[in-house]
């Protein structure tokens, strides 16, 4: 593949990113200063205030700025107080499990510390109980249901008796047949029964969770059966024939959906490959790793934005999410052509942002008019910052460990 970065000097491109980051910072600081903290719609890591806090904290660690530090410090005190007053939401996207995971990450990076000694047992008990309630009601969703909290507890080695119970309930509620395991997608709005192989809401995230449980030898017999069965189901969803430069798998499953899937973090082939690779490593199944490589190699040629449904720069289903997944692939597979395509998606991100020097950054469709981490400018800024610093360690907060 042609190197798409021969047309300009890297240092010029890096300077352009710095200028865009400055614009993002100004936009976020204005957002904070004009915000009524008492009326926050969401505090969550992905869709709320703690995602903004994460980006500003990481930026200020690398490029210290007294104004950012002072505003972010006051902002942090306010959202921590708001969180302590209303800690009920347990989910990873919007609630305590995602917030705690992020706070522990910042503590490991020596960026921020909060003493949770007296509160953590209560908080994690609440997370664990609501996780069991969710899975008992069929809601295994990573973002908005049981799987995000389960992944948090498993990675923290906390409440592992609840985690083991969660695994047995996963087994209980799976649909079994022909050596496969699958779970109906929890659709509380439409009420339709579907099966979903995606990461954000589906079976790929279950595979990643089970892979970590297998590595930690938790409920090993059930985990092993579930892993092989769920992967068999995912692979069974591959299209019989693949159109050039489009996906190998549908967004949901062939039972419900025969259209090619988008390129993105949330849905599509990219995250299926991550799950297959991780499972292949843990189970010592080279066939799974070979499938992952085939999917990645197909994705390398999928650079047309429109045909792959890439319309914004956000992490969820935009250019920065694609870039960070290719970064993860490179760390795992060490193929130089992956770096080339990662840089292509960073380049496409910069092209999307309507940069005008010395003018205010205007939010629009390129960031879905959003300030948050999952879809908005905080997440876009985080990926662009990492392109400069080469520190992508935060991607573990997006199931990229």
């Amino acid at each position: 593949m042609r190197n798409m970065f021969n047309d300009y000097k890297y240092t010029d491109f890096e300077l352009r990113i710095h200028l865009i980051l400055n614009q993002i910072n100004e936009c976020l600081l204005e957002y904070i200063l004009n915000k009524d903290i008492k009326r926050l719609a969401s505090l969550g890591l992905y869709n709320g205030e703690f995602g903004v806090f994460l980006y500003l904290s990481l930026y200020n660690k690398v490029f210290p700025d007294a104004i950012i530090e002072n505003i972010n410090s006051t902002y942090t005190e306010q959202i921590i107080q708001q969180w302590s007053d209303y800690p009920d939401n347990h989910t990873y996207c919007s609630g305590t499990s995602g917030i705690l995971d992020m706070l522990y990450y910042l503590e490991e990076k020596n960026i921020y510390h909060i003493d949770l000694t007296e509160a953590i047992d209560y908080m994690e008990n609440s997370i664990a109980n609501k996780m069991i309630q969710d899975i008992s009601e069929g809601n295994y969703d990573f973002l908005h249901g049981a799987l995000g909290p389960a992944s948090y507890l498993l990675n923290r080695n906390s409440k592992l008796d609840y985690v083991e119970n969660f695994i047995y309930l996963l087994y209980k509620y799976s649909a079994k047949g022909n050596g496969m395991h699958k779970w109906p997608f929890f659709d509380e709005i439409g009420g339709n029964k579907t099966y979903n192989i995606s990461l954000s809401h589906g079976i790929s995230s279950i595979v990643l969770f089970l892979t970590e449980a297998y590595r930690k030898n938790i409920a090993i017999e059930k985990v092993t059966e579930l892993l092989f069965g769920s992967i068999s189901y995912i692979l069974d969803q591959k299209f019989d024939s693949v159109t050039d430069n489009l996906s190998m798998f549908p967004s949901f499953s062939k039972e419900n959906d025969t259209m090619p899937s988008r390129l993105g973090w949330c849905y599509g082939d990219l995250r299926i490959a991550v799950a297959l690779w991780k499972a292949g490593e843990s189970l010592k199944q080279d066939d799974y790793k070979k499938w992952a490589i085939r999917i990645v190699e197909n994705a390398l040629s999928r650079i047309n934005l429109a045909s792959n449904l890439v319309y914004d720069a956000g992490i969820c289903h935009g250019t920065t999410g694609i870039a960070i997944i290719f970064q993860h692939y490179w760390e795992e597979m060490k193929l130089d052509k992956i770096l080339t395509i990662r840089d292509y998606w960073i380049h496409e991100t910069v092209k999307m942002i309507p940069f005008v020097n010395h003018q205010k950054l205007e939010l629009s469709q390129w960031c879905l008019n959003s300030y948050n981490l999952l879809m908005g400018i905080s997440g876009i800024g985080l990926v662009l910052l990492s392109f400069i610093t080469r520190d992508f360690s935060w991607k573990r907060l997006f199931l990229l460990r």
Side-chain angles (χ1 to χ4, degrees):
M1 183 180 292
R2 174 177 78 87
N3 188 329
M4 302 169 192
F5 284 80
N6 286 337
D7 298 334
Y8 59 85
K9 296 179 181 179
Y10 178 82
T11 52
D12 292 341
F13 186 64
E14 187 175 42
L15 177 61
R16 173 74 175 270
I17 291 176
H18 274 290
L19 294 172
I20 290 171
L21 289 174
N22 286 338
Q23 284 191 305
I24 288 175
N25 295 342
E26 290 176 8
C27 198
L28 288 174
L29 294 181
E30 182 180 13
Y31 161 79
I32 292 170
L33 291 172
N34 292 336
K35 195 165 187 64
D36 184 352
I37 298 296
K38 295 180 181 179
R39 297 183 180 179
L40 296 178
S42 175
L43 291 168
L45 171 62
Y46 283 178
N47 68 348
E49 308 305 317
F50 276 100
V52 178
F53 161 65
L54 171 66
Y55 163 70
L56 289 175
S57 298
L58 290 175
Y59 180 91
N60 204 56
K61 177 70 173 179
V62 179
F63 303 111
D65 182 287
I67 294 175
I68 293 176
E69 182 175 359
N70 290 335
I71 293 175
N72 196 38
S73 177
T74 302
Y75 175 55
T76 305
E77 292 176 7
Q78 293 173 324
I79 61 175
I80 290 286
Q81 182 60 53
Q82 184 84 343
W83 177 44
S84 66
D85 291 341
Y86 303 99
D88 292 341
N89 192 319
H90 62 294
T91 65
Y92 201 88
C93 176
S94 308
T96 296
S97 58
I99 293 169
L100 286 174
D101 211 11
M102 181 269 297
L103 290 174
Y104 282 124
Y105 168 73
L106 290 180
E107 184 172 20
E108 291 170 18
K109 299 286 288 184
N110 295 315
I111 294 173
Y112 182 78
H113 172 74
I114 178 172
D115 186 0
L116 296 171
T117 305
E118 295 183 3
I120 192 63
D121 191 58
Y122 171 82
M123 290 173 134
E124 291 184 341
N125 269 325
S126 177
I127 290 170
N129 281 301
K130 290 176 181 177
M131 168 191 76
I132 295 300
Q133 180 180 343
D134 277 344
I135 191 63
S136 298
E137 295 173 352
N139 182 6
Y140 66 85
D141 192 297
F142 172 73
L143 264 67
H144 308 301
L147 200 64
S151 298
Y152 162 76
L153 293 173
L154 178 61
N155 291 324
R156 293 294 302 169
N157 293 311
S158 179
K159 311 299 177 187
L160 293 181
D161 52 337
Y162 284 88
V163 172
E164 187 166 352
N165 188 22
F166 172 79
I167 291 167
Y168 283 110
L169 289 171
L170 262 184
Y171 186 87
K172 177 181 178 180
Y173 294 120
S174 71
K176 309 167 183 69
N178 299 319
M180 300 181 195
H181 285 270
K182 60 184 180 180
W183 293 263
F185 175 55
F186 187 80
D187 184 2
E188 61 182 358
I189 299 176
N192 299 317
K193 185 176 181 179
T194 61
Y195 294 96
N196 187 329
I197 60 174
S198 76
L199 170 94
S200 51
H201 308 291
I203 297 173
S204 290
S205 56
I206 292 179
V207 169
L208 287 170
F209 167 80
L210 292 170
T211 299
E212 184 65 12
Y214 180 89
R215 192 181 70 81
K216 294 186 174 182
N217 201 35
I218 298 172
I220 195 67
E221 290 185 8
K222 284 288 187 285
V223 165
T224 303
E225 181 182 339
L226 287 171
L227 262 176
F228 280 105
S230 55
I231 291 171
S232 293
Y233 179 73
I234 289 173
L235 291 175
D236 193 55
Q237 304 315 301
K238 179 185 173 295
F239 293 130
D240 294 331
S241 60
V242 179
T243 304
D244 287 345
N245 302 325
L246 293 177
S247 72
M248 298 171 65
F249 294 83
S251 292
F252 284 77
S253 69
K254 289 194 295 186
E255 297 177 64
N256 311 102
D257 179 15
T258 58
M259 296 296 292
S261 57
R262 72 189 320 146
L263 207 60
W265 173 84
C266 52
Y267 279 87
D269 292 8
L270 292 181
R271 292 316 306 264
I272 291 171
V274 172
L276 291 173
W277 182 271
K278 284 295 185 185
E281 283 193 322
S282 293
L283 295 170
K284 302 189 186 310
Q285 294 289 314
D286 287 343
D287 283 350
Y288 294 165
K289 295 175 73 174
K290 289 176 182 176
W291 268 111
I293 291 172
R294 286 179 63 185
I295 295 169
V296 171
E297 288 180 338
N298 181 67
L300 291 174
S301 64
R302 296 174 61 190
I303 59 174
N304 182 281
L305 277 67
S307 63
N308 288 289
L309 307 179
V310 182
Y311 301 119
D312 64 85
I315 289 179
C316 187
H317 40 58
T319 53
T320 52
I322 298 168
I324 198 63
I325 293 178
F326 277 113
Q327 169 65 28
H328 183 74
Y329 287 151
W330 180 79
E331 292 175 12
E332 296 287 331
M333 300 175 184
K334 301 301 183 186
L335 301 174
D336 287 343
K337 56 188 175 181
I338 293 177
L339 279 185
T340 300
I341 205 67
R342 178 207 68 181
D343 290 352
Y344 168 79
W345 287 108
I346 292 291
H347 190 200
E348 290 301 306
T349 299
V350 170
K351 284 168 61 177
M352 277 191 180
I353 299 173
F355 174 79
V356 181
N357 202 10
H358 304 304
Q359 291 190 21
K360 179 183 175 182
L361 184 67
E362 295 294 336
L363 303 192
S364 61
Q365 184 58 32
W366 66 272
C367 65
L368 301 181
N369 293 299
S370 173
Y371 296 90
N372 71 34
L373 194 65
L374 186 61
M375 297 187 183
I377 59 173
S378 294
I380 295 166
L382 190 55
V383 175
L384 293 177
L385 175 65
S386 296
F387 185 77
I388 293 173
T389 65
R390 297 298 189 262
D391 181 0
F392 298 91
S393 57
W394 57 267
K395 65 185 174 66
R396 78 181 207 195
L397 301 173
F398 284 84
L399 284 179
L400 292 167
R401 292 181 175 267

